[in-house]
Amino acid sequence: MKYIDGVLTAVKTAKKQAFIDFSQATVALFREAGALEVVDCWGTDVPEGKVTSFPMAVKLEADETVCFSWVLWPSKEARDAGWKKIEADPRFGEMGEMPFDGQRMVFGGFEMVSEG
């Protein structure tokens, strides 16, 4: 059964190109580790909520943009093995500073139950 890693981050709006560059650099690592698809998105219509919202989840600041990403894996087993490969790959350690605050990153793994 396919498996997804989902990630929600807050990125300084002025660092959009750094986010794009970082995202593009990670694609090869994930694909080589067995990922079927790697998608990174820049928020353009992400409203504030009253009770809950993407901006609230990442404690969005005025000079930031919400970004949403996911990695599609063939299975949870492939994902677990893939992450071990990525973490052992020297390129992963050489990527430098992430263009977002990792402490406010929201992430998790999800088993797919439907797709269209």
Side-chain angles (χ1 to χ4, degrees), residues 44-73:
T44 59
D45 186 13
V46 187
E48 274 288 341
K50 293 186 181 189
V51 177
T52 184
S53 67
F54 283 148
M56 292 169 75
V58 295
K59 298 182 179 182
L60 191 70
E61 297 174 4
D63 63 340
E64 294 177 326
T65 298
V66 173
C67 294
F68 180 61
S69 304
W70 68 88
V71 179
L72 175 62
W73 299 94

Side-chain angles (χ1 to χ4, degrees), residues 10-50:
V11 178
K12 295 283 185 195
T13 303
K15 290 188 174 185
K16 182 177 182 180
Q17 190 58 52
F19 174 77
I20 292 169
D21 295 343
F22 182 84
S23 298
Q24 291 174 343
T26 63
V27 169
L29 291 174
F30 281 94
R31 299 287 280 179
E32 289 171 22
L36 302 173
E37 183 177 46
V38 181
V39 178
D40 294 298
C41 306
W42 187 262
T44 59
D45 186 13
V46 187
E48 274 288 341
K50 293 186 181 189

